[in-house]
């Protein structure tokens, strides 16, 4: 059995309008290592000045400097990355691809088509720079377009789960303790996966004890999204959401299905120095 480790790389934060105030949204990439492979799941967001100019929101980090520094912490440069797997092509998950000219970028064909012609409500999330960085790669053989579930390498499975976007995919990684699903925005906080559990959310909903909570940003129906989440649960042991502060930073050393409590959820706790 092929086993891997997963490291959470927090490339920055976004400060997003929410209920009349601001919400902190941590932005993660994921470094999957094992069996001679270095795999980067998602390539993160641009630097905050660029995002502020385009979307009028603040934050911290992002861009080439942040991603290069995170890789360096693990003794890596972009040249060491064999695959960059894009869970989807929204601006906070698919920028910085130009750092990886020699890596194989892996994306669902439906996602690329959806990025070029998105559902109207998602036009703001797909940036031309992400599309251009993918299509303008020097060697077209360095782009792998998929049509459904796929085994990337032994022990790393990609699940096609149309939901949040038309070509959403989840990365399921085999570790010494079990299968960890990097679920990205299929359910980007633990509350979406465990909506009735007080450890996952401050507002548990008993009516959802046998179901999931689906997001508002979607290309598919709620029923399709529920099936997508069930498909992931059936093929993994734990989930790792994209934008929750409580995600494990090192797997399998840290291994849990649900956080101990909501105490570490900093979404509505102002960052040091306040929002900017």
């Amino acid at each position: 059995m092929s086993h891997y480790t997963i490291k959470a790389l927090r490339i920055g934060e976004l400060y997003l309008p929410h209920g009349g105030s601001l919400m902190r949204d941590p932005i993660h990439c994921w470094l999957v290592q094992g069996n001679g492979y270095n795999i980067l799941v998602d390539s993160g967001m641009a630097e905050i000045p660029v995002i502020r100019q385009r979307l009028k929101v603040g934050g911290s980090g992002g861009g080439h400097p942040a991603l290069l520094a995170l890789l360096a912490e693990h003794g890596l440069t972009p040249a060491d990355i064999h695959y960059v797997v894009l869970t989807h092509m929204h601006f906070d998950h698919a920028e910085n691809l130009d750092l990886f000219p020699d890596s194989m970028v892996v994306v669902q064909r439906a996602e690329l088509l959806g990025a070029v012609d998105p559902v109207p409500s998602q036009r703001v999330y797909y940036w031309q720079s992400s599309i251009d960085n993918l299509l303008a790669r020097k060697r077209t053989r360095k782009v792998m377009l998929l049509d459904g579930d796929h085994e990337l390498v032994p022990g790393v499975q990609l699940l096609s789960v149309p939901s949040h976007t038309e070509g959403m995919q989840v990365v399921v990684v085999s570790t010494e303790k079990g299968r960890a699903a990097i679920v990205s925005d299929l359910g980007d906080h633990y509350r979406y996966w465990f909506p009735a559990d007080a450890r996952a959310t401050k507002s548990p909903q008993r009516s959802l004890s046998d179901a999931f909570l689906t997001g508002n940003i979607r290309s598919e129906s709620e029923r399709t999204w529920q099936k997508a989440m069930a498909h992931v649960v059936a093929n993994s042991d734990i989930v790792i959401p994209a934008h929750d502060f409580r995600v494990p930073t090192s797997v399998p050393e840290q291994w849990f299905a649900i956080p101990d409590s909501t105490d570490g959820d900093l979404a509505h706790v102002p960052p040091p120095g306040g929002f900017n």
Side-chain angles (χ1 to χ4, degrees), residues 205-253:
Q205 301 179 55
R206 288 185 296 173
S207 63
L208 296 178
S209 60
D210 62 346
F212 308 101
L213 183 65
T214 55
N216 295 321
I217 302 173
R218 63 176 65 159
S219 64
E220 315 302 315
S221 72
E222 181 175 353
R223 294 187 187 278
T224 297
W225 194 319
Q226 291 277 333
K227 290 180 181 178
M229 296 179 84
H231 182 46
V232 170
V233 168
N235 287 277
S236 63
D237 299 300
I238 64 170
V239 298
I240 305 175
H243 300 301
D244 200 304
F245 278 99
R246 297 167 294 171
V247 296
T249 58
S250 182
V251 174
E253 293 83 359

Side-chain angles (χ1 to χ4, degrees), residues 16-251:
L16 304 174
H18 180 81
S21 61
L22 290 177
M23 178 182 73
R24 295 168 66 184
D25 208 31
I27 308 301
H28 292 100
C29 306
W30 313 92
L31 177 62
V32 177
Q33 293 181 290
N35 299 292
Y37 293 107
N38 296 313
I39 302 168
L40 185 68
V41 178
D42 286 345
S43 53
M45 65 182 187
E47 291 182 88
I48 288 301
V50 176
I51 294 175
R52 182 181 288 112
Q53 181 181 26
R54 295 189 182 186
L55 298 180
K56 306 298 187 266
V57 299
S60 63
H64 290 190
L67 188 50
L68 289 171
L70 290 167
L71 290 175
E73 289 178 7
H74 297 279
L76 300 175
T77 70
D80 297 311
I81 301 299
H82 298 97
Y83 295 95
V84 178
V85 180
L86 299 181
T87 61
H88 61 302
M89 291 183 64
H90 282 179
F91 75 94
D92 53 335
H93 293 261
E95 284 289 294
N96 306 309
L97 284 179
D98 51 323
L99 281 177
F100 304 94
D102 298 317
S103 307
M104 176 70 76
V105 176
V106 184
V107 65
Q108 292 286 329
R109 190 185 310 273
E111 183 64 14
L112 177 56
L113 295 176
V116 172
D117 183 23
V119 294
S121 61
Q122 295 201 30
R123 289 170 181 164
V124 68
Y125 303 118
Y126 286 110
W127 285 11
Q128 191 63 45
S129 53
S130 299
I131 299 170
D132 289 345
N133 279 339
L134 185 63
L135 296 180
R137 293 176 65 76
K138 292 181 179 180
R139 291 176 285 180
T140 55
R141 65 183 180 86
K142 288 298 184 179
V143 178
M144 182 186 298
L145 297 179
L146 304 180
D147 295 296
D149 294 357
H150 180 77
E151 182 181 62
L152 182 64
V153 294
V156 179
Q157 301 289 327
L158 307 182
L159 302 182
S160 173
V161 285
S163 49
H164 178 61
T165 68
E166 295 171 78
M168 188 80 192
Q169 63 181 353
V170 161
V171 184
V172 180
V173 180
S174 175
T175 79
E176 289 183 352
K177 292 185 179 179
R179 299 165 299 171
I182 302 173
V183 296
S184 187
D185 290 358
L186 177 62
D188 61 13
H189 289 73
Y190 284 105
R191 65 177 179 270
Y192 291 102
W193 296 91
F194 309 101
D197 196 307
R199 294 170 295 176
T201 175
K202 295 177 182 178
S203 302
Q205 301 179 55
R206 288 185 296 173
S207 63
L208 296 178
S209 60
D210 62 346
F212 308 101
L213 183 65
T214 55
N216 295 321
I217 302 173
R218 63 176 65 159
S219 64
E220 315 302 315
S221 72
E222 181 175 353
R223 294 187 187 278
T224 297
W225 194 319
Q226 291 277 333
K227 290 180 181 178
M229 296 179 84
H231 182 46
V232 170
V233 168
N235 287 277
S236 63
D237 299 300
I238 64 170
V239 298
I240 305 175
H243 300 301
D244 200 304
F245 278 99
R246 297 167 294 171
V247 296
T249 58
S250 182
V251 174

